[in-house]
Amino acid sequence: MSFSLMWSSLANFADGSPVNLWIQNTYWLWPVMEIIHFLGLALLFGGLLVVDLRMAGHLKGVTPVSTHQLLPLVLLGFALNLITGILFFFGDPGRYSINIGFQLKMMLIGLAGLNALFYHWRVSPTLVTWDGTTTPPRLARGVAYVSLACWFGVLLTGRLIPYVGTG
């Protein structure tokens, strides 16, 4: 199934659904979802910024292991954004399904997810051996910079959704 066909199928599923009608008919819901999405983004990106910058060798005053304490906040932020993002799509499936900014954002989130899995499998187990003076290995720095690039791209493409044309 092609990428555009997948989005078209999801839009057809969402259009006219009870969730779609609820979002469209509840005037206060969209702004509340925007606020929750923004709070989720602050938790997600704020936490990842510290984790990734430390993993890349910056913020040497922060121990690498202590950055793991931020991961529950990062996951909470991601969950808030996932839920509100799905609701945004259901609220206006025709617009989102053909929007190039949205499609690029989804691809970057997918890439960030694969990068996070790679981090979990290959980098995270080595963090327990790091101390404040450890120079992060090249692999860890690469994963950190890919994460930062992906999430910065998600921020950028998300902000462009209202302004860019369709695919």
Side-chain angles (χ1 to χ4, degrees):
M1 177 183 286
S2 76
F3 197 64
S4 61
L5 182 59
M6 177 190 72
W7 289 117
S8 177
S9 296
L10 285 171
N12 289 336
F13 173 76
D15 193 33
S17 70
V19 174
N20 172 258
L21 297 174
W22 172 59
I23 293 168
Q24 288 184 356
N25 294 325
T26 309
Y27 75 93
W28 54 265
L29 188 55
W30 198 275
V32 169
M33 291 187 324
E34 289 278 4
I35 292 166
I36 294 169
H37 201 73
F38 181 78
L39 291 172
L41 184 60
L43 290 171
L44 170 67
F45 195 70
L48 278 180
L49 192 59
V50 172
V51 170
D52 288 339
L53 285 175
R54 179 58 188 106
M55 192 167 50
H58 310 287
L59 304 178
K60 294 194 187 263
V62 178
T63 62
V65 174
S66 70
T67 62
H68 272 356
Q69 295 172 346
L70 293 171
L71 293 181
L73 292 174
V74 169
L75 292 174
L76 173 61
F78 182 78
L80 291 172
N81 280 355
L82 178 64
I83 292 165
T84 54
I86 290 169
L87 290 173
F88 286 139
F89 184 86
F90 266 77
D92 198 356
R95 180 178 77 149
Y96 282 100
S97 65
I98 60 172
N99 186 283
I100 191 68
F102 174 76
Q103 292 173 3
L104 289 171
K105 180 179 177 177
M106 293 301 103
M107 286 191 292
L108 287 167
I109 290 171
L111 182 58
L114 292 174
N115 190 58
L117 284 174
F118 188 77
Y119 161 82
H120 180 70
W121 288 328
R122 297 289 309 272
V123 177
S124 181
T126 68
L127 284 178
V128 294
T129 64
W130 297 11
D131 63 23
T133 63
T134 303
T135 300
R138 180 176 288 154
L139 179 65
R141 291 191 312 264
V143 167
Y145 288 128
V146 167
S147 174
L148 288 169
C150 286
W151 288 109
F152 180 76
V154 167
L155 284 171
L156 178 67
T157 54
R159 279 308 310 138
L160 290 176
I161 289 171
Y163 308 106
V164 296
T166 59

